[in-house]
Amino acid sequence: CKKILWCSNMKVFQDFREKAVIVLPLIYYFAGPLAFMSYLFSISLAKLKMRVGFVALTVFLLFLIAYHLITSSFESMFKIRFFWGWVLFFIFFSSYRLDGSYALFFKRVLILLCLYTLFEAVAVNFFIDASSLPNYPQDRLAAGSHFSDIYQRPYSFGGNATVTSTLLVVMSWMLQRRLWNKALLALTVLVLGSATGITLYIFSVIAKMNHSKNTIITIVVVATILASYFYFIPYEYLGRGKMTYEYFMFIADDKFGNILQYINSTGMSDMIIGKISGEAAYGGDSALYSLVVNFGLIGVLILGLWVLHACSGSKFLPLFILLVGSLHYGVIFSLPGQMLFGLLLAGGLDMKE
């Protein structure tokens, strides 16, 4: 009896750790450093079941990390975690193929995240100061672009409107959803007011039309919501002013400007292998650019080969959405983004419930 009880307790503890790997990253901006326990749980549960190609890429990455640890200050540890933390989730999800029960778990999590985002949108616009919440910058003066007296966008679990909306779109792609779930997602993405998120959402709806059982109803409902957004919402609200050709061109010019400046001001060795220093920023609205600055073209090559090696069939489009979202903000480098990125690279969810 004691042996049976011990085995039962161990099963409960393992199940807790498995779900903690998924949940802790999603509450990072509210749980703080406690969410980094997801890395420890990933390592403790991992069984290192990877294909040869991934093993080779891991070895190359370890050499790159070792180089920067030797040549850079302690600050390199923070940037290594930020840019490469997803590898730990990839190793975990490669060991544990999530079954149908986790598909149901993810559906419930997605609904809760949408509902919380809508609640936060109401709260920060009518009841509380957004800067008092842990998922917003605390200094209004230093981070003025994050706040608005007209319409305050919710940042929710991603700590950023673009990150949150992109992750919600990807999570919904991974799941088979009912019509009301789709309407809830559409409303949530619009409330977040991210031009990138709204664009990726529209793309995901178009791309998945042939896979929907109720395609016509879905098109009508989603088209009605989107048409109402573009026709009735003033430019000052819900990110409406960012859904313009001029804004997209402004963002594109900014990205290309950063690239040209980097090419003209960087030596060949730093361009190839990167250089981690106090001046080499990371995060913000140019995260992939920051990856090049800190880990060079070799770092980008490792990331690209990893995605190409994992990319097949149903995983292509959600990975594409994650990477496009990361062109503006570091979706795949945020802690919740790292978890979803690692999950998709490892094979995604088994939808057989």
Side-chain angles (χ1 to χ4, degrees), residues 13-31:
F13 180 58
Q14 178 167 319
D15 185 62
F16 166 78
R17 287 188 296 169
E18 290 176 3
K19 285 188 167 60
V21 172
I22 298 170
V23 173
L24 285 176
L26 296 175
I27 61 172
Y28 165 60
Y29 287 97
F30 305 98

Side-chain angles (χ1 to χ4, degrees), residues 45-304:
L45 291 167
K47 298 177 182 178
L48 297 179
K49 294 181 179 179
M50 294 191 296
R51 286 182 281 170
V52 176
F54 290 129
V55 173
L57 288 170
T58 303
V59 172
F60 281 120
L61 177 60
L62 288 175
F63 276 113
L64 181 63
I65 289 174
Y67 168 81
H68 285 294
L69 285 174
I70 294 170
T71 59
S72 306
S73 63
F74 181 73
E75 185 184 2
S76 63
M77 291 293 296
F78 297 99
K79 296 183 179 181
I80 290 168
R81 183 211 67 79
F82 180 78
F83 288 111
W84 304 106
W86 56 266
V87 175
L88 299 179
F89 292 110
F90 168 79
I91 294 173
F92 166 75
F93 288 120
S94 295
S95 305
Y96 287 82
R97 178 66 177 176
L98 301 187
D99 58 20
S101 65
Y102 279 92
L104 179 60
F105 177 71
F106 263 93
K107 287 182 181 179
R108 292 170 177 170
V109 168
L110 176 61
I111 293 171
L112 287 174
L113 292 175
C114 287
L115 292 175
Y116 170 76
T117 302
L118 295 175
F119 168 79
E120 184 181 294
V122 174
V124 297
N125 279 283
F126 295 102
F127 301 108
I128 60 176
D129 184 353
S131 62
S132 66
L133 295 178
N135 54 330
Y136 290 82
Q138 304 303 300
D139 190 339
R140 271 185 170 270
L141 295 177
S145 62
H146 292 268
F147 301 99
S148 172
D149 294 327
I150 300 175
Y151 173 73
Q152 178 60 57
R153 297 188 298 173
Y155 277 11
S156 193
F157 69 96
N160 177 283
T162 298
V163 173
T164 297
S165 54
T166 302
L167 294 179
L168 288 175
V169 170
V170 170
M171 288 180 68
S172 70
W173 183 279
M174 295 162 54
L175 302 168
Q176 298 170 354
R177 298 161 295 133
R178 297 177 180 176
L179 181 61
W180 74 269
N181 297 145
K182 298 174 183 178
L184 177 64
L185 174 68
L187 178 62
T188 306
V189 171
L190 293 179
V191 164
L192 282 159
S194 164
T196 302
I198 293 171
T199 303
L200 291 175
Y201 171 71
I202 294 172
F203 168 79
S204 71
V205 171
I206 295 172
K208 208 171 185 181
M209 279 182 180
N210 294 331
H211 303 284
S212 174
K213 295 180 180 178
N214 302 303
T215 302
I216 297 177
I217 298 176
T218 300
I219 293 173
V220 171
V221 171
V222 173
T224 301
I225 294 174
L226 290 174
S228 300
Y229 169 78
F230 284 104
Y231 186 78
F232 293 109
I233 301 300
Y235 271 43
E236 296 82 5
Y237 293 89
L238 302 183
R240 178 67 180 84
K242 295 184 177 182
M243 293 299 294
T244 62
Y245 171 79
E246 290 77 14
Y247 181 76
F248 278 98
M249 290 307 298
F250 167 77
I251 294 297
D253 288 342
D254 179 63
K255 304 303 178 189
F256 282 115
N258 287 335
I259 294 172
L260 291 175
Q261 182 181 5
Y262 175 71
I263 292 174
N264 293 329
S265 61
T266 306
M268 184 59 67
S269 61
D270 289 343
M271 193 178 297
I272 292 174
I273 204 166
K275 182 179 181 181
I276 295 180
S277 66
E279 293 77 27
Y282 64 106
D285 59 355
S286 299
L288 283 179
Y289 165 75
S290 299
L291 173 64
V292 179
V293 173
N294 287 279
F295 291 94
L297 295 176
I298 291 180
V300 175
L301 180 63
I302 291 174
L303 175 62

